Amino acid sequence: LAVKDPTAVERANLLNMAKLSIKGLIESALSFGRTLDSDYPPLQQFFVVMEHCLKHGLKVRKSFLSYNKTIWGPLELVEKLYPEAEEIAASVRDLPGLKTPLGRARAWLRLALMQKKMADYLRCLIIQRDLLSEFYEYHALMMEEEGAVIVGLLVGLNVIDANLCVKGEDLDSQVGVIDFSVYLKSDDDIGGKERNVQIAAILDQKNYVEELNRQLNSTVSSLHARVDSLEKSNTKLIEELAIAKNNIIKLQEENHQLRSENTLILMKTQHHLEATKVDVEAELQTYKHSRQGLDEMYTEARRQLREEAQLRQDMENELVVQVSMKHEIELAMKLLEKDIHEKQDTLIGLRQQLDEVKAINVEMYQKLQVSEDAMKEKNEIISRLEDKTNQINATMKQLEQRLQQAEKAQMDAEAEDEKLKQEYVNKSESLQNEFSQKEKQLLQLETDLKIEKEWRQTLEDDLQKEKETVSQLRTETQEIVNLKKEFLKLQEKNKQLKSTCEDQEAALQELASKLSESKLKIEDIKEANKALQGQVWLKDKEATHCKLCEKEFSLSKRKHHCRNCGEIFCNACSDNELPLPSSPKPVRVCDSCHAILIQRCSSTVP
C-alpha cells in the first residue's frame, strides 16, 4: 500500500471542514433570517475552521518583535496588496481591548465578513505566493490548490448579512475547538434537498448580480480617477500657458525699453561727438596762433639778446623775486605737510576701526571654536548613547533567544504530551502525575514569558528616551550650523568693510594730491596779487580789444593781464612762456616787461 502524505491528508480534512462549515452557515442563515450576530454558533464554528485553515503550515519566525508567528502576519500583508483593506487594518490596530496578534487576526476576519470582502482579500493574498512563502511552508493549505478552493467557497458568504460587535468581545482568550456534532447528517437534511437546490439557485443569481455591481463600481471609480487626472493636467497646462504669456509680455516690454535706451544713448553720443568736434577745432586754431606767436617771439628774443645787454640786471632782479617765491613755496609745503599729518591722523583712526573689526572677528572665531568644542562633546555623548543602544539591542537579542528556547521547550512538551496520549491511552492513571508536572513546567514558562515581556517593555521605554535625547542633540547641532552660517556672513561683511576702507584710503590719497596741487595754485595766485597791489586793473567792459593786435576778445582770444605794467593782451599775442618750479606748466610772460601774465575771468569771456 502507498503511504499517504500526512500534510495532504490534513489539507483534505481542512477543506472538507471548510465546505461543511460554509454550507451549514449559509443554510442556517437563510432559515434564520440572514442577519447574524456574534453569538450565533455556526458563525463561531466558521471562524474556528478559518483560523485552523490559516494556521496550517505556518512558519515559526525567529524575530522577537514581529507578529509573523501567528496568522496576523499574512493578514496584515493584505493592506499592501489591496488598498481597500487599509481601513480594516487601521480599525483593528485602534481597538483598545486587543493585546495579542491572534486577537487582531480574529477581529480582522470578523470585519472582513461584515464587509463581504473576505474572498477578495484572501484571493489577493493567494495570488502573491512569493510573499506567502515568507510566512508559510511549501506544503501549507494556503500555498496549495485547496486554498484557492476555499477562497471560491467564501464567495457564497456574500449572501449573509452579519452584525458583529468586535469592540467589547474578548478575542484574545477564545479557545478554537471545532464542534463536529454540528456537521453530522440527520433525516431532515436528507428530506430537504429540493429546497436547498432552489436556495442555491437563488444564491447564485444574487452572487452574479453582486459581482456585476462590484465590477461596475470598479470601472466607475477608475473613470473618476482618469477624469480627475485629466482635470489636474488641464489646470497645470493652463497655468503654464498663462506663465508663458506673462513671460512673453515681460520680454517684449524689456525689448522695448532696451530699444528706447539704445536710441537715447545714440542721441547722447552724437551730441557729445559734435561738442567735442567743435572744441577740438577751437583748440587747433588756438594752437596754430600760439605756434606762430612763439616763432615771432623767438626771433624777437634773439634780436633783443643781441641788442639789449642791459636786461641782464633786470633778470638778476627777477632771480631775487624767484628766491622770495621759493621761500613762499617752502611755507606752502609746510602747510601741506600739516594737512598730510591731519589726514594721517584720520587714517590712523580708520585703522583703529579696522583693528576693532578684527578684534570682533577674533571674538566671533573664538565663539565658533567654543561652539565646535561643544559640538564635539555632543558628538561624544551621541556616540555613548549609540553604544548604550547597541548594548540594549544585544540584551534584546539575548531575550529573544531565551524566548525562542522557551517556545521550543513548550512545543517539545506539547509534542511529548500528544505522543503519550496516543501511545499510552490505557496507562492514563500512571501518566497523570507526569502530565501535571508538564503543566507546572508550562505555567513556569508562561510566567517567564511574562517577565521577559515586561523587561522588553522597559527596554523599549529606555530606547524611546535615548531617541528623544538624540533628537535634542540634533537640534543643538542644527543651531551650531546656523551659528557657523552667521559667522560666514560676518566674515563677508568684514571683507566688504575692508574693501570700502581701502577705497576710502585711495580716495584720501587722491584728495591729498589734489589738495597739494590746489595749494600750489593758490600760492601762485597770492604772488600775482602781491605783485598787482600797486597796479590798477582795467574794467572788463573797458578791456574789449587786445593791446598789440587790437582785435576783440572772444572764446579763442582770451584776456591775459600783465601784473607789472598793467597791459592786457590776448592769448595769441602773449605766447612767450617761462618755466617756474612752483607750477607744473610754463607761465605766460609779458612781451614788454617779461612779467607773469594772469588770465582774467568775467561773466562774458572765460
Side-chain angles (χ1 to χ4, degrees), residues 163-182:
N163 188 9
L164 307 176
C165 183
V166 183
K167 188 173 182 181
E169 194 172 357
D170 187 11
L171 299 175
D172 294 327
S173 61
Q174 286 184 359
V175 180
V177 179
I178 301 172
D179 188 7
F180 292 99
S181 64
V182 178

Side-chain angles (χ1 to χ4, degrees), residues 19-30 36 40-44 46-47 113 157 160 183:
K19 287 179 181 177
L20 289 171
S21 63
I22 291 167
K23 183 180 177 183
L25 180 60
I26 292 169
E27 289 177 354
S28 61
L30 292 172
L36 308 177
Y40 193 59
L43 186 61
Q44 293 178 353
F46 165 72
F47 286 127
L113 181 64
L157 294 176
I160 297 171
Y183 306 108

Side-chain angles (χ1 to χ4, degrees), residues 339-591:
D339 293 333
I340 289 164
H341 285 303
E342 290 175 358
K343 287 170 184 175
Q344 284 179 354
D345 293 332
T346 55
L347 283 171
I348 289 163
L350 289 170
R351 283 173 184 170
Q352 287 177 358
Q353 290 179 0
L354 265 176
D355 293 329
E356 290 176 357
V357 171
K358 287 179 182 177
I360 291 164
N361 287 329
V362 169
E363 289 178 0
M364 291 299 293
Y365 182 72
Q366 290 175 357
K367 287 181 181 177
L368 192 139
Q369 285 183 347
V370 172
S371 62
E372 285 179 351
D373 294 331
M375 182 79 181
K376 289 179 182 177
E377 291 177 359
K378 288 174 183 177
N379 288 324
E380 290 176 358
I381 292 165
I382 289 166
S383 62
R384 290 174 187 171
L385 291 172
E386 287 177 352
D387 293 332
K388 285 184 181 179
T389 52
N390 292 325
Q391 291 176 2
I392 291 164
N393 289 324
T395 54
M396 288 178 73
K397 287 180 182 177
Q398 291 177 2
L399 291 173
E400 285 178 359
Q401 290 177 0
R402 289 181 184 176
L403 194 141
Q404 288 176 2
Q405 290 175 2
E407 286 178 351
K408 285 181 181 178
Q410 187 177 0
M411 294 292 288
D412 294 332
E414 288 177 357
E416 287 176 2
D417 288 333
E418 287 176 357
K419 287 180 182 179
L420 289 168
K421 284 179 184 177
Q422 289 177 1
E423 292 176 0
Y424 301 103
V425 175
N426 297 323
K427 297 179 181 181
S428 61
E429 292 179 356
S430 62
L431 294 172
Q432 281 180 357
N433 295 323
E434 293 179 0
F435 185 74
S436 62
Q437 290 177 0
K438 296 289 182 182
E439 285 181 348
K440 288 179 181 179
Q441 289 178 0
L442 283 171
L443 290 171
Q444 288 178 358
L445 289 170
E446 286 177 355
T447 54
D448 291 332
L449 273 172
K450 288 180 181 178
I451 292 164
E452 295 290 337
K453 285 180 180 178
E454 290 175 356
W455 195 9
R456 178 188 159 212
Q457 188 66 33
T458 55
L459 288 171
E460 285 179 352
D461 294 332
D462 293 331
L463 252 176
Q464 189 67 30
K465 290 178 181 177
E466 297 294 335
K467 285 179 180 178
E468 289 176 355
T469 54
V470 168
S471 64
Q472 289 178 359
L473 291 170
R474 283 178 181 170
T475 54
E476 290 177 356
T477 53
Q478 188 65 33
E479 290 177 356
I480 291 164
V481 170
N482 293 326
L483 285 171
K484 281 185 178 180
K485 290 180 180 178
E486 290 178 357
F487 179 69
L488 291 173
K489 289 179 181 178
L490 288 170
Q491 281 184 344
E492 290 178 356
K493 287 182 180 179
N494 188 10
K495 288 179 181 178
Q496 291 176 0
L497 287 170
K498 283 182 180 178
S499 63
T500 53
C501 186
E502 289 174 356
D503 294 333
Q504 288 175 0
E505 286 179 354
L508 284 170
Q509 290 176 359
E510 290 177 0
L511 285 170
S513 62
K514 288 180 180 180
L515 281 168
S516 63
E517 291 176 0
S518 63
K519 285 281 185 181
L520 291 171
K521 288 179 182 179
I522 288 164
E523 291 298 326
D524 292 335
I525 292 165
K526 284 180 179 179
E527 289 174 1
N529 287 326
K530 286 178 182 179
L532 291 171
Q533 283 178 0
Q535 301 292 331
V536 178
W537 285 46
L538 290 174
K539 294 182 180 179
D540 289 333
K541 293 180 180 179
E542 295 176 357
T544 57
H545 293 78
C546 180
K547 188 73 175 176
L548 292 175
C549 62
E550 294 181 356
K551 292 180 180 179
E552 289 185 358
F553 294 112
S554 63
L555 290 171
S556 60
K557 290 181 178 293
R558 292 184 290 276
K559 294 180 181 180
H560 290 275
H561 187 273
C562 180
R563 64 183 182 181
N564 189 19
C565 60
E567 299 293 337
I568 298 171
F569 304 99
C570 64
N571 55 355
C573 295
S574 58
D575 288 336
N576 191 9
E577 293 181 351
L578 181 68
L580 288 175
S582 61
S583 64
K585 293 181 181 180
V587 181
R588 294 181 184 273
V589 180
C590 182
D591 291 331

Side-chain angles (χ1 to χ4, degrees), residues 136-372:
Y136 289 100
E137 301 288 345
Y138 68 94
H139 57 78
L141 185 139
M142 297 296 288
M143 300 289 287
E144 298 292 337
E145 294 180 357
E146 287 84 353
V149 175
I150 290 171
V151 170
L153 292 171
L154 290 172
V155 177
L157 294 176
N158 293 335
V159 299
I160 297 171
D161 294 328
N163 188 9
L164 307 176
C165 183
V166 183
K167 188 173 182 181
E169 194 172 357
D170 187 11
L171 299 175
D172 294 327
S173 61
Q174 286 184 359
V175 180
V177 179
I178 301 172
D179 188 7
F180 292 99
S181 64
V182 178
Y183 306 108
L184 296 174
K185 289 186 177 179
S186 61
D187 295 332
D188 295 332
D189 294 331
I190 296 167
K193 286 182 180 180
E194 295 178 357
R195 184 172 61 83
N196 292 331
V197 169
Q198 292 175 359
I199 290 167
I202 292 165
L203 290 173
D204 291 335
Q205 290 176 1
K206 185 178 182 295
N207 291 330
Y208 176 71
V209 171
E210 286 182 352
E211 190 67 26
L212 274 176
N213 192 7
R214 192 175 298 163
Q215 290 179 359
L216 289 171
N217 286 326
S218 65
T219 54
V220 167
S221 62
S222 64
L223 288 171
H224 278 302
R226 287 183 65 188
V227 167
D228 292 333
S229 64
L230 288 171
E231 286 179 354
K232 288 178 181 177
S233 62
N234 192 8
T235 53
K236 286 180 181 178
L237 289 171
I238 290 165
E239 289 175 356
E240 290 177 356
L241 195 142
I243 292 164
K245 285 182 179 179
N246 291 325
N247 290 327
I248 289 164
I249 291 164
K250 287 179 182 178
L251 289 170
Q252 287 177 355
E253 290 177 354
E254 288 178 358
N255 192 4
H256 183 68
Q257 288 178 359
L258 290 170
R259 285 180 179 176
S260 62
E261 288 176 359
N262 193 4
T263 54
L264 288 170
I265 290 164
L266 286 170
M267 293 291 288
K268 287 179 181 178
T269 51
Q270 287 177 358
H271 288 300
H272 186 66
L273 285 170
E274 290 175 356
T276 52
K277 282 180 181 178
V278 172
D279 294 332
V280 167
E281 288 176 355
E283 287 178 358
L284 281 171
Q285 290 177 359
T286 55
Y287 178 72
K288 288 177 181 178
H289 288 298
S290 63
R291 186 61 181 267
Q292 291 175 0
L294 284 169
D295 293 333
E296 292 174 356
M297 284 177 69
Y298 181 70
T299 55
E300 288 178 357
R302 288 180 70 183
R303 182 174 56 81
Q304 286 175 2
L305 283 170
R306 288 172 184 174
E307 292 177 354
E308 297 179 359
Q310 294 179 358
L311 292 174
R312 185 175 178 180
Q313 190 175 359
D314 295 329
M315 291 297 291
E316 288 176 356
N317 294 326
E318 286 289 333
L319 282 170
V320 172
V321 171
Q322 286 183 2
V323 169
S324 63
M325 287 171 67
K326 187 176 180 181
H327 289 295
E328 291 175 357
I329 288 164
E330 287 176 356
L331 290 171
M333 288 293 289
K334 288 179 181 179
L335 291 171
L336 282 172
E337 284 177 358
K338 287 181 181 179
D339 293 333
I340 289 164
H341 285 303
E342 290 175 358
K343 287 170 184 175
Q344 284 179 354
D345 293 332
T346 55
L347 283 171
I348 289 163
L350 289 170
R351 283 173 184 170
Q352 287 177 358
Q353 290 179 0
L354 265 176
D355 293 329
E356 290 176 357
V357 171
K358 287 179 182 177
I360 291 164
N361 287 329
V362 169
E363 289 178 0
M364 291 299 293
Y365 182 72
Q366 290 175 357
K367 287 181 181 177
L368 192 139
Q369 285 183 347
V370 172
S371 62
E372 285 179 351

